[in-house]
Amino acid sequence: MTEAASPTYEAVLAKMFAYFDENLAEKPASPVTEQSHLIQDLRLDSMQSFEMVSDLEDQFGITMPMELFQHVVTVGDVAREVVKVIAQERGEA
């Protein structure tokens, strides 16, 4: 039996877009894209960011070290970090 392939960057983005669609109290003026800024465009506060990370951890069965998020700015930045953690936890990095 082979292990399922790790989710791609695009698959992580799709999960994030679905999460934002369901959970953003205030819909942004423009559609959410990988270039959307978490604070400036989506207006995420620290609690919303924590909830987003928690959802991603649940979705992908991973644990995200919070220090990874000190330098992320965009949705794409988060997706890249999630893909890295998935690869590390599965021994693919």
Side-chain angles (χ1 to χ4, degrees):
M1 181 178 343
T2 60
E3 205 173 300
S6 289
T8 63
Y9 173 76
E10 290 78 14
V12 173
L13 280 176
K15 293 282 188 184
M16 292 181 71
F17 294 154
Y19 174 83
F20 292 134
D21 190 49
E22 293 174 17
N23 294 288
L24 285 180
E26 241 182 86
K27 300 300 179 202
S30 301
V32 178
T33 69
E34 63 186 305
Q35 290 87 23
S36 296
H37 287 237
L38 299 170
I39 297 171
Q40 182 180 344
D41 299 327
L42 304 181
R43 304 197 187 289
L44 292 187
D45 61 26
S46 58
M47 183 60 156
Q48 291 167 316
S49 296
F50 177 79
E51 290 170 352
M52 175 192 67
V53 170
S54 180
D55 185 73
L56 290 168
E57 290 177 327
D58 291 346
Q59 289 281 332
F60 296 107
I62 59 173
T63 301
M64 299 289 299
M66 291 310 290
E67 61 270 9
L68 289 179
F69 293 95
Q70 293 176 350
H71 303 290
V72 298
V73 175
T74 67
V75 171
D77 293 340
V78 175
R80 278 185 284 283
E81 293 301 329
V82 169
V83 170
K84 285 181 196 173
V85 169
I86 291 169
Q88 289 171 349
E89 289 194 3
R90 293 186 179 179
E92 299 169 8

Coordinates of all heavy atoms in Angstrom, one line a residue:
M1 N 0.8 -1.2 0.0 CA 0.0 0.0 0.0 C 0.9 1.2 0.0 O 1.8 1.3 0.8 CB -0.9 0.0 1.3 CG -1.8 1.2 1.3 SD -3.0 1.3 2.7 CE -3.1 -0.2 3.5
T2 N 0.6 2.2 -0.9 CA 1.4 3.4 -0.9 C 0.7 4.5 -0.2 O -0.5 4.6 -0.1 CB 1.6 3.8 -2.4 OG1 0.4 4.1 -3.0 CG2 2.4 2.8 -3.2
E3 N 1.5 5.4 0.3 CA 1.0 6.6 1.1 C 0.5 7.6 0.1 O 1.0 7.8 -1.0 CB 2.1 7.2 1.9 CG 1.6 8.0 3.1 CD 2.8 8.4 4.0 OE1 3.5 7.5 4.4 OE2 2.9 9.6 4.1
A4 N -0.6 8.3 0.4 CA -1.1 9.3 -0.5 C -0.1 10.4 -0.7 O 0.7 10.8 0.2 CB -2.4 9.9 0.2
A5 N -0.1 11.0 -1.9 CA 0.8 12.1 -2.2 C 0.4 13.3 -1.4 O -0.7 13.5 -1.0 CB 0.7 12.4 -3.7
S6 N 1.5 14.1 -1.1 CA 1.3 15.3 -0.3 C 0.4 16.3 -1.1 O 0.5 16.3 -2.3 CB 2.6 15.9 0.0 OG 3.3 15.2 1.0
P7 N -0.4 17.0 -0.4 CA -1.2 18.1 -1.1 C -0.3 19.1 -1.8 O 0.8 19.4 -1.3 CB -2.0 18.7 0.0 CG -2.0 17.8 1.1 CD -0.7 17.0 1.0
T8 N -0.7 19.5 -2.9 CA 0.1 20.5 -3.7 C -0.2 21.9 -3.1 O -1.2 22.1 -2.4 CB -0.3 20.5 -5.2 OG1 -1.7 20.8 -5.3 CG2 -0.1 19.1 -5.8
Y9 N 0.6 22.8 -3.6 CA 0.4 24.2 -3.2 C -1.1 24.7 -3.6 O -1.8 25.3 -2.9 CB 1.4 25.1 -4.0 CG 1.3 26.6 -3.9 CD1 1.6 27.2 -2.7 CD2 0.8 27.3 -5.0 CE1 1.5 28.6 -2.6 CE2 0.7 28.7 -4.9 CZ 1.0 29.3 -3.7 OH 0.9 30.7 -3.7
E10 N -1.5 24.3 -4.8 CA -2.8 24.6 -5.3 C -3.9 24.0 -4.5 O -4.9 24.6 -4.2 CB -3.0 24.2 -6.8 CG -2.1 25.0 -7.8 CD -0.7 24.6 -7.8 OE1 -0.3 23.5 -7.3 OE2 0.1 25.4 -8.3
A11 N -3.7 22.8 -4.0 CA -4.7 22.1 -3.1 C -4.8 22.9 -1.8 O -5.9 23.0 -1.2 CB -4.3 20.7 -2.9
V12 N -3.7 23.3 -1.2 CA -3.7 24.0 0.0 C -4.4 25.4 -0.2 O -5.2 25.8 0.6 CB -2.3 24.2 0.6 CG1 -2.3 25.2 1.8 CG2 -1.6 22.9 0.9
L13 N -4.1 26.0 -1.3 CA -4.8 27.3 -1.6 C -6.3 27.1 -1.7 O -7.1 27.9 -1.2 CB -4.3 27.9 -2.9 CG -3.0 28.7 -2.9 CD1 -2.6 29.1 -4.3 CD2 -3.1 29.9 -2.0
A14 N -6.7 26.0 -2.4 CA -8.2 25.8 -2.5 C -8.8 25.6 -1.1 O -9.9 26.1 -0.9 CB -8.4 24.5 -3.4
K15 N -8.2 24.9 -0.2 CA -8.7 24.7 1.1 C -8.8 26.1 1.8 O -9.7 26.4 2.6 CB -7.8 23.8 2.0 CG -7.9 22.4 1.5 CD -9.1 21.7 1.9 CE -9.0 20.2 1.6 NZ -10.2 19.5 1.9
M16 N -7.7 26.9 1.6 CA -7.7 28.2 2.3 C -8.8 29.1 1.7 O -9.5 29.8 2.5 CB -6.4 28.9 2.1 CG -5.3 28.2 2.9 SD -3.7 29.0 2.7 CE -4.0 30.5 3.6
F17 N -9.0 29.1 0.4 CA -10.1 29.9 -0.2 C -11.4 29.5 0.3 O -12.3 30.3 0.6 CB -10.1 29.8 -1.7 CG -8.8 30.4 -2.4 CD1 -8.4 29.9 -3.6 CD2 -8.1 31.4 -1.8 CE1 -7.3 30.4 -4.2 CE2 -7.0 31.9 -2.4 CZ -6.6 31.4 -3.6
A18 N -11.7 28.2 0.5 CA -12.9 27.7 1.0 C -13.1 28.1 2.5 O -14.2 28.5 2.9 CB -13.0 26.2 0.9
Y19 N -12.0 28.1 3.2 CA -12.0 28.5 4.6 C -12.4 30.0 4.7 O -13.3 30.4 5.5 CB -10.7 28.3 5.3 CG -10.7 28.9 6.7 CD1 -11.2 28.1 7.8 CD2 -10.2 30.1 6.9 CE1 -11.2 28.7 9.0 CE2 -10.2 30.7 8.2 CZ -10.7 29.9 9.3 OH -10.7 30.5 10.5
F20 N -11.8 30.8 3.9 CA -12.1 32.3 3.9 C -13.5 32.5 3.5 O -14.2 33.3 4.1 CB -11.1 33.0 3.0 CG -9.7 33.1 3.5 CD1 -8.7 32.8 2.7 CD2 -9.4 33.3 4.9 CE1 -7.4 32.8 3.1 CE2 -8.1 33.4 5.3 CZ -7.1 33.1 4.5
D21 N -14.0 31.8 2.5 CA -15.4 32.0 2.0 C -16.4 31.7 3.1 O -17.4 32.4 3.2 CB -15.6 31.1 0.8 CG -16.9 31.4 0.1 OD1 -17.2 32.6 -0.2 OD2 -17.7 30.4 -0.2
E22 N -16.1 30.7 3.9 CA -17.0 30.3 5.0 C -16.9 31.1 6.3 O -17.8 31.2 7.0 CB -16.8 28.8 5.3 CG -17.2 27.8 4.2 CD -16.8 26.4 4.6 OE1 -16.6 26.1 5.8 OE2 -16.7 25.6 3.6
N23 N -15.7 31.6 6.5 CA -15.4 32.2 7.9 C -15.1 33.6 8.0 O -15.1 34.2 9.1 CB -14.2 31.4 8.5 CG -14.6 30.0 8.7 OD1 -15.3 29.7 9.6 ND2 -14.1 29.1 7.9
L24 N -14.9 34.3 6.9 CA -14.6 35.8 7.0 C -15.9 36.5 7.3 O -16.9 36.4 6.5 CB -14.0 36.3 5.7 CG -12.6 36.0 5.4 CD1 -12.1 36.7 4.1 CD2 -11.7 36.5 6.5
A25 N -15.9 37.2 8.4 CA -17.1 37.9 8.8 C -17.4 39.1 7.8 O -18.5 39.3 7.4 CB -17.0 38.5 10.2
E26 N -16.3 39.7 7.4 CA -16.4 40.8 6.5 C -15.8 40.4 5.2 O -14.6 40.1 5.1 CB -15.5 42.0 7.0 CG -16.3 43.3 7.2 CD -15.4 44.4 7.7 OE1 -14.8 45.0 6.8 OE2 -15.2 44.5 8.9
K27 N -16.6 40.3 4.1 CA -16.0 39.9 2.8 C -15.2 41.0 2.3 O -15.5 42.2 2.3 CB -17.2 39.6 1.9 CG -18.1 38.5 2.3 CD -17.4 37.2 2.6 CE -18.3 36.1 3.0 NZ -17.7 35.0 3.7
P28 N -14.0 40.7 1.7 CA -13.1 41.7 1.1 C -13.7 42.3 -0.1 O -14.6 41.7 -0.8 CB -11.8 40.9 0.8 CG -12.2 39.5 0.8 CD -13.4 39.3 1.7
A29 N -13.3 43.5 -0.5 CA -13.8 44.2 -1.7 C -13.4 43.4 -2.9 O -14.2 43.4 -3.9 CB -13.2 45.6 -1.7
S30 N -12.3 42.8 -3.0 CA -11.8 42.0 -4.1 C -11.8 40.5 -3.8 O -11.7 40.2 -2.6 CB -10.4 42.5 -4.5 OG -10.3 43.8 -4.8
P31 N -11.9 39.7 -4.8 CA -11.8 38.2 -4.5 C -10.5 37.9 -3.8 O -9.5 38.5 -4.1 CB -11.9 37.6 -5.9 CG -12.5 38.7 -6.8 CD -12.1 40.0 -6.2
V32 N -10.5 36.9 -3.0 CA -9.3 36.4 -2.3 C -8.5 35.7 -3.3 O -8.9 34.8 -4.0 CB -9.7 35.5 -1.1 CG1 -8.4 35.0 -0.5 CG2 -10.5 36.2 -0.1
T33 N -7.2 36.0 -3.4 CA -6.2 35.4 -4.3 C -5.0 35.0 -3.5 O -4.9 35.4 -2.3 CB -5.8 36.3 -5.5 OG1 -5.0 37.4 -4.9 CG2 -7.0 36.8 -6.2
E34 N -4.0 34.4 -4.1 CA -2.8 34.0 -3.4 C -2.0 35.3 -3.0 O -1.2 35.2 -2.1 CB -2.0 33.0 -4.2 CG -1.4 33.5 -5.5 CD -0.7 32.5 -6.3 OE1 0.2 31.8 -5.8 OE2 -1.1 32.3 -7.4
Q35 N -2.3 36.4 -3.7 CA -1.6 37.6 -3.4 C -2.3 38.5 -2.3 O -1.8 39.5 -1.9 CB -1.4 38.5 -4.7 CG -0.4 37.9 -5.7 CD -1.0 36.9 -6.6 OE1 -2.3 37.0 -6.8 NE2 -0.3 36.0 -7.2
S36 N -3.5 38.0 -1.9 CA -4.2 38.8 -0.9 C -3.4 38.9 0.4 O -2.9 37.8 0.9 CB -5.6 38.1 -0.6 OG -6.4 38.2 -1.7
H37 N -3.3 40.0 1.0 CA -2.6 40.2 2.2 C -3.5 39.9 3.4 O -4.7 40.3 3.4 CB -2.2 41.7 2.4 CG -1.0 42.1 1.5 ND1 0.2 42.5 2.0 CD2 -0.8 42.0 0.2 CE1 1.0 42.8 1.0 NE2 0.4 42.4 -0.1
L38 N -3.0 39.1 4.3 CA -3.8 38.6 5.4 C -4.4 39.7 6.3 O -5.6 39.7 6.6 CB -3.0 37.7 6.3 CG -2.5 36.4 5.6 CD1 -1.5 35.7 6.5 CD2 -3.6 35.5 5.2
I39 N -3.6 40.7 6.6 CA -4.1 41.8 7.4 C -4.7 43.0 6.6 O -5.8 43.4 6.8 CB -2.9 42.4 8.3 CG1 -2.5 41.2 9.2 CG2 -3.4 43.6 9.1 CD1 -1.2 41.6 10.0
Q40 N -4.0 43.4 5.6 CA -4.4 44.6 4.8 C -5.7 44.3 4.0 O -6.6 45.1 4.0 CB -3.3 45.0 3.9 CG -3.6 46.2 3.0 CD -2.4 46.6 2.1 OE1 -1.3 46.1 2.3 NE2 -2.7 47.4 1.1
D41 N -5.7 43.2 3.3 CA -6.9 42.9 2.4 C -8.0 42.1 3.2 O -9.2 42.4 3.0 CB -6.4 42.1 1.2 CG -5.4 42.8 0.4 OD1 -5.5 44.1 0.3 OD2 -4.5 42.2 -0.2
L42 N -7.6 41.1 3.9 CA -8.6 40.2 4.6 C -9.0 40.7 6.0 O -9.9 40.1 6.6 CB -8.1 38.8 4.6 CG -7.7 38.2 3.2 CD1 -7.2 36.8 3.4 CD2 -8.9 38.3 2.2
R43 N -8.2 41.6 6.5 CA -8.4 42.1 7.9 C -8.4 41.1 9.0 O -9.2 41.1 9.9 CB -9.7 43.0 7.9 CG -9.6 44.1 6.8 CD -10.7 45.1 7.1 NE -10.8 46.1 6.1 CZ -9.9 47.1 5.8 NH1 -8.8 47.1 6.4 NH2 -10.2 47.9 4.8
L44 N -7.5 40.1 8.8 CA -7.5 39.1 9.9 C -6.8 39.6 11.1 O -5.8 40.3 11.0 CB -6.7 37.8 9.4 CG -7.2 37.0 8.3 CD1 -6.3 35.8 8.1 CD2 -8.7 36.6 8.5
D45 N -7.4 39.4 12.3 CA -6.8 39.7 13.5 C -6.1 38.5 14.1 O -6.1 37.4 13.4 CB -7.8 40.3 14.5 CG -8.9 39.3 14.9 OD1 -8.7 38.1 14.8 OD2 -10.0 39.8 15.3
S46 N -5.5 38.6 15.2 CA -4.7 37.5 15.7 C -5.5 36.2 16.0 O -5.1 35.1 15.8 CB -3.9 37.9 17.0 OG -4.8 38.3 18.0
M47 N -6.7 36.4 16.5 CA -7.6 35.3 16.8 C -8.0 34.6 15.5 O -8.0 33.4 15.4 CB -8.8 35.8 17.6 CG -9.7 34.6 18.0 SD -8.8 33.5 19.0 CE -10.1 32.7 19.9
Q48 N -8.4 35.4 14.5 CA -8.8 34.8 13.2 C -7.6 34.1 12.6 O -7.8 33.0 12.0 CB -9.3 35.9 12.3 CG -10.6 36.5 12.7 CD -11.0 37.7 12.0 OE1 -10.1 38.6 11.8 NE2 -12.2 37.8 11.6
S49 N -6.4 34.6 12.7 CA -5.2 33.9 12.2 C -5.0 32.6 12.9 O -4.7 31.6 12.2 CB -4.0 34.8 12.3 OG -4.1 36.0 11.6
F50 N -5.2 32.6 14.2 CA -5.0 31.4 15.0 C -6.0 30.3 14.5 O -5.7 29.2 14.4 CB -5.1 31.7 16.5 CG -5.1 30.4 17.3 CD1 -3.8 29.8 17.6 CD2 -6.2 29.8 17.8 CE1 -3.8 28.7 18.4 CE2 -6.2 28.7 18.6 CZ -4.9 28.1 18.8
E51 N -7.3 30.8 14.3 CA -8.3 29.9 13.9 C -8.0 29.3 12.5 O -8.3 28.1 12.2 CB -9.7 30.6 13.9 CG -10.2 30.8 15.4 CD -11.4 31.7 15.4 OE1 -11.8 32.3 14.4 OE2 -11.9 31.9 16.5
M52 N -7.5 30.1 11.6 CA -7.2 29.7 10.3 C -6.1 28.6 10.4 O -6.2 27.6 9.7 CB -6.7 30.8 9.4 CG -6.2 30.4 8.1 SD -5.3 31.7 7.2 CE -3.8 31.9 8.2
V53 N -5.0 28.9 11.2 CA -4.0 27.9 11.3 C -4.5 26.6 11.9 O -4.1 25.5 11.4 CB -2.8 28.5 12.2 CG1 -1.8 27.4 12.5 CG2 -2.1 29.6 11.4
S54 N -5.3 26.7 12.9 CA -5.9 25.5 13.5 C -6.7 24.7 12.5 O -6.6 23.5 12.5 CB -6.8 25.9 14.7 OG -7.4 24.8 15.3
D55 N -7.5 25.4 11.7 CA -8.2 24.7 10.6 C -7.3 24.0 9.6 O -7.5 22.8 9.3 CB -9.1 25.7 9.9 CG -10.0 25.0 8.9 OD1 -11.0 24.3 9.3 OD2 -9.8 25.1 7.7
L56 N -6.2 24.7 9.2 CA -5.3 24.0 8.3 C -4.6 22.8 9.0 O -4.4 21.8 8.3 CB -4.2 25.1 7.9 CG -4.7 26.2 7.0 CD1 -3.6 27.3 6.9 CD2 -5.0 25.6 5.6
E57 N -4.3 22.9 10.2 CA -3.7 21.8 10.9 C -4.6 20.6 10.9 O -4.2 19.5 10.7 CB -3.3 22.2 12.4 CG -2.2 23.1 12.5 CD -1.9 23.5 13.9 OE1 -2.8 23.7 14.7 OE2 -0.7 23.8 14.2
D58 N -5.9 20.9 11.2 CA -6.9 19.8 11.2 C -7.1 19.2 9.8 O -7.2 18.0 9.6 CB -8.3 20.3 11.7 CG -8.2 20.6 13.2 OD1 -7.3 20.2 13.9 OD2 -9.2 21.3 13.6
Q59 N -7.2 20.1 8.8 CA -7.4 19.6 7.4 C -6.3 18.7 6.9 O -6.6 17.8 6.2 CB -7.5 20.9 6.5 CG -8.7 21.7 6.6 CD -9.9 21.1 5.9 OE1 -9.8 20.3 4.9 NE2 -11.1 21.3 6.4
F60 N -5.1 19.0 7.3 CA -3.9 18.3 6.8 C -3.2 17.4 7.8 O -2.2 16.8 7.4 CB -2.9 19.3 6.1 CG -3.5 20.0 5.0 CD1 -3.9 21.4 5.1 CD2 -3.8 19.4 3.8 CE1 -4.4 22.0 4.0 CE2 -4.3 20.0 2.7 CZ -4.7 21.4 2.8
G61 N -3.7 17.4 9.0 CA -3.1 16.5 10.0 C -1.7 16.8 10.4 O -0.8 15.9 10.5
I62 N -1.4 18.1 10.5 CA -0.1 18.6 10.8 C -0.1 19.5 12.0 O -1.1 19.9 12.5 CB 0.5 19.4 9.6 CG1 -0.4 20.6 9.2 CG2 0.7 18.5 8.4 CD1 0.2 21.5 8.2
T63 N 1.1 19.9 12.5 CA 1.3 20.9 13.5 C 2.1 22.0 13.0 O 3.3 21.7 12.6 CB 1.9 20.2 14.8 OG1 1.1 19.2 15.2 CG2 2.1 21.3 15.9
M64 N 1.6 23.2 13.0 CA 2.3 24.3 12.4 C 3.0 25.1 13.5 O 2.3 25.6 14.4 CB 1.4 25.3 11.7 CG 0.6 24.7 10.5 SD 1.6 24.4 9.1 CE 2.2 26.1 8.7
P65 N 4.3 25.2 13.5 CA 5.0 26.0 14.5 C 4.7 27.5 14.3 O 4.7 28.0 13.2 CB 6.5 25.8 14.2 CG 6.6 24.5 13.3 CD 5.3 24.5 12.6
M66 N 4.2 28.1 15.3 CA 3.8 29.5 15.2 C 4.9 30.5 14.7 O 4.5 31.4 14.0 CB 3.2 30.0 16.5 CG 1.9 29.3 16.9 SD 0.6 29.3 15.6 CE 0.2 31.0 15.5
E67 N 6.1 30.1 14.9 CA 7.2 31.0 14.4 C 7.2 31.1 12.9 O 7.8 32.0 12.4 CB 8.5 30.7 15.0 CG 9.1 29.3 14.7 CD 8.6 28.2 15.7 OE1 7.8 28.5 16.6 OE2 9.2 27.1 15.6
L68 N 6.7 30.1 12.2 CA 6.6 30.2 10.8 C 5.8 31.3 10.3 O 6.0 31.8 9.1 CB 6.0 28.9 10.2 CG 6.9 27.6 10.3 CD1 6.1 26.4 9.7 CD2 8.2 27.8 9.6
F69 N 4.9 31.8 11.1 CA 4.0 32.9 10.7 C 4.5 34.3 11.0 O 3.8 35.3 10.8 CB 2.6 32.6 11.2 CG 2.0 31.4 10.6 CD1 2.1 30.2 11.3 CD2 1.4 31.5 9.4 CE1 1.6 29.0 10.7 CE2 0.9 30.3 8.8 CZ 1.0 29.1 9.5
Q70 N 5.7 34.4 11.5 CA 6.2 35.7 11.8 C 6.5 36.6 10.6 O 6.5 37.8 10.6 CB 7.5 35.6 12.6 CG 7.3 35.1 14.0 CD 8.6 34.9 14.8 OE1 9.7 35.0 14.2 NE2 8.5 34.6 16.0
H71 N 6.7 35.9 9.4 CA 7.1 36.7 8.2 C 6.1 36.5 7.1 O 6.4 37.0 6.0 CB 8.5 36.3 7.8 CG 9.5 36.5 8.9 ND1 9.9 37.7 9.3 CD2 10.2 35.6 9.7 CE1 10.8 37.6 10.3 NE2 11.0 36.4 10.5
V72 N 5.0 35.8 7.3 CA 4.1 35.6 6.2 C 3.2 36.9 6.1 O 2.9 37.5 7.0 CB 3.2 34.4 6.4 CG1 4.0 33.1 6.4 CG2 2.3 34.5 7.6
V73 N 2.9 37.2 4.8 CA 2.1 38.4 4.6 C 0.9 38.1 3.8 O -0.2 38.6 4.0 CB 3.0 39.4 3.8 CG1 2.2 40.7 3.4 CG2 4.2 39.8 4.7
T74 N 1.1 37.1 2.8 CA 0.0 36.8 1.9 C -0.6 35.4 2.1 O 0.0 34.6 2.8 CB 0.4 37.0 0.4 OG1 1.4 35.9 0.2 CG2 1.0 38.3 0.1
V75 N -1.7 35.2 1.5 CA -2.3 33.9 1.5 C -1.4 32.9 0.9 O -1.2 31.8 1.4 CB -3.7 33.9 0.7 CG1 -4.2 32.5 0.5 CG2 -4.7 34.8 1.4
G76 N -0.7 33.2 -0.2 CA 0.3 32.3 -0.8 C 1.5 32.0 0.1 O 1.9 30.9 0.1
D77 N 1.9 33.0 0.9 CA 3.0 32.7 1.9 C 2.5 31.6 2.8 O 3.3 30.7 3.1 CB 3.3 34.0 2.7 CG 3.9 35.1 1.9 OD1 4.4 34.9 0.8 OD2 3.8 36.3 2.4
V78 N 1.3 31.7 3.3 CA 0.8 30.7 4.3 C 0.8 29.3 3.6 O 1.2 28.3 4.1 CB -0.6 31.1 4.8 CG1 -1.1 29.9 5.7 CG2 -0.5 32.4 5.6
A79 N 0.2 29.3 2.4 CA 0.1 28.0 1.6 C 1.5 27.4 1.4 O 1.7 26.2 1.6 CB -0.6 28.2 0.3
R80 N 2.5 28.2 1.1 CA 3.9 27.6 0.9 C 4.4 27.0 2.2 O 5.0 26.0 2.2 CB 4.8 28.7 0.4 CG 4.7 28.9 -1.1 CD 5.8 29.9 -1.6 NE 5.4 31.3 -1.3 CZ 4.5 32.0 -2.0 NH1 3.8 31.4 -3.0 NH2 4.2 33.2 -1.7
E81 N 4.1 27.7 3.4 CA 4.6 27.2 4.7 C 3.9 25.9 5.0 O 4.5 25.0 5.5 CB 4.4 28.2 5.8 CG 5.3 29.5 5.6 CD 6.8 29.1 5.6 OE1 7.2 28.2 6.3 OE2 7.5 29.9 5.0
V82 N 2.6 25.8 4.7 CA 1.8 24.6 5.0 C 2.4 23.4 4.2 O 2.6 22.3 4.7 CB 0.3 24.8 4.7 CG1 -0.4 23.4 4.7 CG2 -0.3 25.8 5.6
V83 N 2.7 23.7 2.9 CA 3.3 22.6 2.0 C 4.6 22.2 2.6 O 4.9 21.0 2.6 CB 3.4 23.1 0.6 CG1 4.2 22.1 -0.3 CG2 2.0 23.3 0.0
K84 N 5.4 23.1 3.1 CA 6.7 22.8 3.7 C 6.6 21.9 4.9 O 7.3 20.9 5.1 CB 7.5 24.0 4.1 CG 8.1 24.8 2.9 CD 8.9 26.0 3.5 CE 9.2 27.0 2.4 NZ 9.8 28.2 2.9
V85 N 5.7 22.3 5.8 CA 5.4 21.5 7.0 C 4.9 20.1 6.7 O 5.4 19.1 7.3 CB 4.5 22.2 8.0 CG1 4.1 21.3 9.1 CG2 5.2 23.5 8.5
I86 N 4.0 20.0 5.7 CA 3.5 18.7 5.3 C 4.7 17.8 4.8 O 4.8 16.6 5.2 CB 2.4 18.8 4.2 CG1 1.2 19.4 4.8 CG2 2.1 17.4 3.6 CD1 0.1 19.9 3.8
A87 N 5.5 18.4 4.0 CA 6.7 17.6 3.5 C 7.6 17.2 4.6 O 8.1 16.0 4.6 CB 7.4 18.4 2.4
Q88 N 7.9 18.1 5.5 CA 8.8 17.8 6.6 C 8.2 16.7 7.5 O 8.9 15.7 7.9 CB 9.0 19.0 7.5 CG 9.9 20.0 6.8 CD 10.0 21.3 7.5 OE1 9.2 21.6 8.5 NE2 10.9 22.2 7.1
E89 N 6.9 16.8 7.8 CA 6.3 15.8 8.7 C 6.2 14.4 8.0 O 6.1 13.4 8.7 CB 4.9 16.3 9.2 CG 5.1 17.4 10.2 CD 3.8 17.7 11.0 OE1 2.8 17.0 10.8 OE2 3.9 18.7 11.8
R90 N 6.1 14.4 6.7 CA 6.0 13.1 6.0 C 7.4 12.6 5.5 O 7.5 11.7 4.8 CB 5.1 13.3 4.8 CG 3.7 13.5 5.2 CD 2.7 13.5 4.0 NE 1.4 13.7 4.5 CZ 0.3 13.7 3.6 NH1 0.5 13.6 2.3 NH2 -0.9 13.9 4.1
G91 N 8.5 13.4 5.9 CA 9.8 13.0 5.6 C 10.2 13.2 4.1 O 11.0 12.5 3.6
E92 N 9.5 14.1 3.4 CA 9.7 14.3 2.0 C 10.6 15.5 1.8 O 11.0 15.8 0.6 CB 8.4 14.6 1.3 CG 7.4 13.4 1.4 CD 6.0 13.7 0.9 OE1 5.8 14.8 0.4 OE2 5.2 12.9 1.1
A93 N 11.0 16.2 2.8 CA 11.8 17.4 2.7 C 13.3 17.1 2.6 O 13.7 16.2 3.2 CB 11.5 18.4 3.8

